[in-house]
Amino acid sequence: EGNLEIDHVVQVLGTLRGTVADTHGTIVGEKGLVKAERLGAGELVIYGRVHGRLKGEPPLFFVPTLAFYGTVETPWIVIEQGATLESV
């Protein structure tokens, strides 16, 4: 829990709470859970669950195993059939 600022690709396989800022990309694994006030990333690929506010550089990839609850800011998003999205 807390703030994570990193200059590499981040892969989340467990639970992460707080704020995430990185420049290269974030991958949330199928069993990953991110509860973020803000998740800012370069390329963003989500297989697991995310609750919060996403701000990503294009492209953002939402795959069928994704469950997302929150808001998204991006100029380009790829949503595959079967992804669960709930905007607040």
Side-chain angles (χ1 to χ4, degrees):
E1 190 165 332
N3 299 325
L4 176 64
E5 292 185 34
I6 193 161
D7 204 18
H8 297 282
V9 174
V10 175
Q11 184 172 13
V12 179
L13 300 175
T15 301
L16 178 64
R17 292 189 172 123
T19 300
V20 180
D22 71 81
T23 58
H24 294 287
T26 300
I27 301 166
V28 180
E30 281 191 40
K31 295 184 179 182
L33 168 62
V34 175
K35 291 189 174 186
E37 297 167 17
R38 181 178 61 84
L39 174 58
E43 185 174 313
L44 184 57
V45 182
I46 302 172
Y47 296 95
R49 295 174 293 151
V50 174
H51 297 254
R53 185 174 138 226
L54 297 181
K55 184 172 184 178
E57 297 299 318
L60 262 59
F61 292 95
F62 286 2
V63 300
T65 56
L66 160 106
F68 173 75
Y69 307 93
T71 59
V72 179
E73 293 179 46
T74 187
W76 181 22
I77 188 170
V78 177
I79 303 172
E80 294 182 10
Q81 184 175 355
T84 300
L85 300 160
E86 185 176 311
S87 183
V88 288

